Amino acid sequence: MIGAIVSAIVIGAIVGALGRLIVPGKQNMSIGLTLIVGIVAALLGTLIAHVFGWADTRGIDWLEHILQLALAVLGVWLVARMQASRGTGSSGPAV
């Protein structure tokens, strides 16, 4: 159980950071928010991969990781757009 939580945090951090690198432009997101988006993307990607049977392969589950990364890119893009439309960044209202 603890191993699953730690791996979700580590994979979420990697996937979230990669998502921010792929999304063009500057995202006004904190590291914590990036981590949360990455963890959610990793968990959703794993869930979807299990539903379709893509997570039970020999070796590296490439389809699962690509799905996690795609969900992280989508999540970072959505959060950045929501923050831009509200006119706020990670440090509060724009002045």
Side-chain angles (χ1 to χ4, degrees):
M1 179 66 177
I2 292 177
I5 293 170
V6 170
S7 66
I9 291 171
V10 169
I11 292 188
I14 293 168
V15 167
L18 286 173
R20 279 189 70 174
L21 286 173
I22 292 172
V23 173
K26 180 171 174 25
Q27 300 86 36
N28 237 355
M29 295 173 58
S30 67
I31 293 173
L33 189 55
T34 302
L35 182 64
I36 290 170
V37 168
I39 290 171
V40 169
L43 293 174
L44 281 175
T46 299
L47 177 69
I48 293 169
H50 277 286
V51 167
F52 286 107
W54 298 338
D56 298 325
T57 61
R58 293 186 192 147
I60 299 173
D61 298 323
W62 290 109
L63 289 175
E64 179 180 0
H65 295 312
I66 290 169
L67 182 60
Q68 290 171 336
L69 182 58
L71 289 171
V73 168
L74 179 65
V76 167
W77 181 77
L78 285 173
V79 169
R81 287 200 38 110
M82 287 176 20
Q83 285 183 338
S85 69
R86 285 191 335 205
T88 61
S90 59
S91 61
V95 205

